[in-house]
């Protein structure tokens, strides 16, 4: 798995060691020496994982992570810290980090953590966007082109899952598990709920976003399906 990473760390010796090790493992790594530079790079490029030091000059790691999540950036964040205190970790998770690694750490453990995080986008982001569709998790609001949409609780979970993966295809199984967990519904339930979701998302709009991918699942894509018909 070829990875692109961003290391935001002001300790130049540690940064050089980490970058050299990651390069040997085939992982490309950009480096920022302070929080503001790191925020700029993270906002301008799409990385698989961000390695973020907690204590940084110009902008600390907690504030940087908060800004990324508020902007809708869902890149997984592994926070590096010299403090192994529960309060610090709780603050970091609240800000939107996905995992912690306490200094000093073994490079092999860093590699394992990075590879695990790179397999998914972060679920910590609270503001989701695709095209003119947006969802505010904390305010429980969803809108398209500024117009509020009304969704059922099931429709909300389906749309959140699709938005977190957009524009990639989400399998029927993944959607069912996101809503119903291990207690899967009858075979028509997903079809009926997707019909109502499509009506809410695409009804009245010139461009359809919700697309069915036969044999695979569903996706939010600007080349979407025709208008919904009865399920």
């Amino acid at each position: 798995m070829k990875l692109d990473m961003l290391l935001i760390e002001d300790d130049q010796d540690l940064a050089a060691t980490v970058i050299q090790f990651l390069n040997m493992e085939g992982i490309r790594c950009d480096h920022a020496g302070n929080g503001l530079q790191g925020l700029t790079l993270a906002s301008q490029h799409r990385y698989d994982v961000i390695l973020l030091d907690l204590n940084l000059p110009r902008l600390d790691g907690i504030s940087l992570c908060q800004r990324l999540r508020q902007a809708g950036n869902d890149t997984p964040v592994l926070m590096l810290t010299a403090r192994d205190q529960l309060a610090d970790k709780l603050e970091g998770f609240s800000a939107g980090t996905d995992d912690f690694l306490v200094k000093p750490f073994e490079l092999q453990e860093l590699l394992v953590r990075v590879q695990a995080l790179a397999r998914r986008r972060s679920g910590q982001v609270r503001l989701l966007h695709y095209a003119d569709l947006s969802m505010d998790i904390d305010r429980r609001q969803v809108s398209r082109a500024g117009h509020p949409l009304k969704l059922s609780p099931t429709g909300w979970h389906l749309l959140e899952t699709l938005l977190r993966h957009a524009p990639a295809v989400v399998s029927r199984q993944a959607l069912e598990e996101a809503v119903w967990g291990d207690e899967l519904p009858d075979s028509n339930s997903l079809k009926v709920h997707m019909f109502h979701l499509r009506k809410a998302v695409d009804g009245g709009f010139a461009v359809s976003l919700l697309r069915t991918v036969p044999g695979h699942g569903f996706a939010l894509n600007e080349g979407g399906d025709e208008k919904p018909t009865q399920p």
Side-chain angles (χ1 to χ4, degrees):
M1 179 169 54
K2 186 175 181 180
L3 302 179
D4 285 320
M5 293 178 44
L6 172 61
L7 170 63
I8 309 175
E9 169 63 66
D10 62 326
D11 184 329
Q12 297 298 321
D13 291 336
L14 176 59
T17 299
V18 169
I19 292 170
Q20 182 180 26
F21 172 75
L22 293 175
N23 287 341
M24 290 175 60
E25 296 294 331
I27 299 174
R28 196 186 73 81
C29 187
D30 288 342
H31 174 238
N34 64 69
L36 287 180
Q37 182 186 13
L39 180 63
T40 298
L41 286 173
S43 302
Q44 293 177 345
H45 304 279
R46 187 169 177 85
Y47 296 101
D48 295 295
V49 177
I50 295 174
L51 301 179
L52 176 61
D53 187 33
L54 179 62
N55 296 310
L56 290 167
R58 305 191 68 184
L59 183 67
D60 65 89
I62 295 292
S63 299
L64 194 160
C65 193
Q66 287 175 330
R67 292 196 190 185
L68 289 177
R69 298 310 187 217
Q70 289 168 358
N73 190 314
D74 65 349
T75 305
V77 172
L78 175 60
M79 190 166 283
L80 309 177
T81 175
R83 304 184 304 209
D84 189 19
Q85 298 296 320
L86 178 60
D88 296 323
K89 292 183 178 181
L90 291 176
E91 185 181 14
F93 285 126
S94 178
T97 190
D98 296 274
D99 198 4
F100 274 89
L101 192 57
V102 178
K103 301 176 182 178
F105 51 81
E106 296 292 334
L107 292 174
Q108 281 298 140
E109 182 180 2
L110 172 68
L111 178 63
V112 170
R113 300 278 190 101
V114 163
Q115 290 173 332
L117 285 175
R119 296 188 184 99
R120 59 184 174 87
R121 303 307 290 177
S122 177
Q124 292 276 21
V125 66
R126 310 301 289 171
L127 189 61
L128 307 175
H129 292 283
Y130 180 73
D132 58 355
L133 185 63
S134 65
M135 174 180 280
D136 189 321
I137 303 295
D138 293 325
R139 295 184 179 182
R140 300 297 294 180
Q141 296 174 347
V142 60
S143 64
R144 181 168 179 192
H147 300 285
L149 305 181
K150 293 184 178 181
L151 302 178
S152 68
T154 298
W156 175 279
H157 287 302
L158 290 171
L159 185 58
E160 180 182 348
T161 303
L162 289 165
L163 277 167
R164 289 192 183 279
H165 292 82
V169 177
V170 183
S171 70
R172 295 173 183 272
Q173 180 181 357
L175 285 170
E176 289 175 338
E177 290 177 353
V179 176
W180 294 287
D182 294 331
E183 298 182 6
L184 297 183
D186 63 71
S187 59
N188 286 325
S189 292
L190 180 62
K191 182 178 180 181
V192 171
H193 283 292
M194 291 304 296
F195 165 75
H196 290 294
L197 179 61
R198 181 176 279 114
K199 284 182 64 178
V201 171
D202 290 336
F205 293 93
V207 176
S208 298
L209 293 179
L210 189 51
R211 182 164 65 96
T212 302
V213 183
H216 296 281
F218 300 89
L220 288 171
N221 189 294
E222 291 183 89
D225 292 341
E226 66 278 0
K227 296 302 180 184
T229 56
Q230 290 296 325

